[in-house]
């Protein structure tokens, strides 16, 4: 090859080399360097993989977000309450008369408060509030012994503003116009009527004595007639006592008693904003009555 030909091949080789390298350069984007070489095992110069942001450990372990202050205040705030302590006495008047003669367990009873109940110098149960309950036990008196008994349980109270309160109370003391009493268990007990029983025997004995005296005078033996008449009269009186029941326990309409709260009750403060002591209905009290047996007719 001549010297001139070698001189021509030099530039051609350079151009060919440049043409072959241009596709490689075109594959590189603007501002990008050459593709990295694959790392070989044990290579110290391999570029580390791009690191991902580590998850927030605190966020992963944090509990459920707490409620907002407004929601917490709503759930935590409860209405203020006023306590009426157990043992509080509430004076009542009865609206429907009851008697062991006809009362049965489950029969309703209706009362009205006569005097306001105060707590911390504020009226919480005004006069004129309604209290209802039911008869839980009713037993008539026996013929020979045993008094009539009646048990009442007070369960509901309705204040003048229609606020309803669950109640658990029993009667204490009663003014019924008769000889009824209330024992420590809240049971209404009728009169024993022993005095009336004695009177029945005496009256029949006296009547028998008078009749016997008349019979004895007619037969000429007054003493014997008196003795026979007295014995017959006493037996008649005793029979009248044994064959009739003792008096029923009665609470006529207008009877008064006290209810004793067995355990504390709690009233919502915003529902007992009373500005007056209230006013109860005017009911006439029952007239005084004498308990007595109904004696049988004297058999002579």
């Amino acid at each position: 090859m001549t010297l001139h030909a070698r001189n021509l091949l030099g530039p051609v080789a350079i151009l060919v080399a440049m043409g072959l390298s241009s596709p490689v350069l075109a594959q590189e984007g603007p501002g990008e360097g050459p593709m990295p070489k694959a790392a070989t095992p044990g290579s110290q110069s391999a570029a580390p993989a791009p690191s991902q942001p580590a998850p927030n450990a605190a966020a992963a372990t944090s509990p459920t977000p707490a409620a907002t202050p407004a929601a917490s205040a709503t759930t935590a705030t409860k209405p203020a309450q006023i306590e009426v302590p157990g043992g509080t006495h509430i004076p009542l008047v009865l609206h429907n008369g009851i008697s062991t003669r006809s009362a049965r367990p489950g029969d309703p009873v209706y009362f009205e408060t006569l005097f306001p109940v105060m707590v911390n110098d504020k009226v919480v149960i005004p006069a004129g509030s309604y209290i209802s309950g039911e008869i839980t036990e009713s037993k008539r008196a026996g013929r020979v012994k045993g008094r009539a008994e009646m048990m009442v349980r007070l369960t509901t109270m309705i204040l003048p503003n229609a606020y309803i309160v669950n109640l658990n109370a029993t009667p204490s003391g009663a003014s019924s116009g008769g000889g009824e009493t209330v024992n420590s268990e809240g049971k209404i007990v009728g009169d024993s009527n022993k005095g009336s029983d004695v009177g029945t025997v005496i009256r029949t004995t006296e009547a028998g004595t008078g009749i016997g005296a008349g019979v004895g005078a007619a037969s000429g033996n007054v003493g014997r007639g008196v003795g026979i008449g007295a014995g017959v009269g006493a037996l008649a009186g005793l029979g009248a006592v044994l064959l009739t029941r003792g008096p029923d326990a009665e609470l006529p309409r207008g009877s008064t008693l006290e209810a004793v709260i067995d355990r504390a009750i709690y009233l919502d403060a915003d529902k007992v904003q009373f500005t007056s002591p209230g006013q109860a209905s005017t009911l006439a009290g029952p007239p005084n009555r004498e308990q007595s047996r109904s004696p049988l007719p004297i058999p002579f």
Side-chain angles (χ1 to χ4, degrees), residues 20 26 62 65 95 99 106 111 122 131 139 151 185 217 228 236 242 253 268 276-277 285 287:
L20 293 174
S62 62
H95 274 265
S99 169
F111 295 90
K122 293 183 179 180
I131 290 181
K139 184 184 73 173
M151 192 77 176
E185 298 176 353
I228 293 174
L242 296 179
R253 184 174 187 266
D268 291 344
S276 71

Side-chain angles (χ1 to χ4, degrees), residues 225-250:
V226 170
I228 293 174
V232 172
L235 289 175
L238 182 60
V241 170
L242 296 179
L243 294 178
T244 57
R245 292 183 180 274
D248 284 293
E250 297 183 46

Side-chain angles (χ1 to χ4, degrees), residues 86-130:
T88 299
H89 288 238
I90 306 176
L92 304 175
V93 60
L94 178 65
H95 274 265
N96 61 318
I98 53 178
S99 169
T100 53
R101 184 181 298 107
S102 59
R104 297 291 181 271
D107 288 353
V109 288
Y110 304 107
F111 295 90
E112 184 179 353
T113 61
L114 289 173
F115 197 83
V117 175
M118 312 283 290
V119 174
N120 295 330
D121 297 328
K122 293 183 179 180
V123 176
V124 294
I125 303 177
S129 300
Y130 295 120

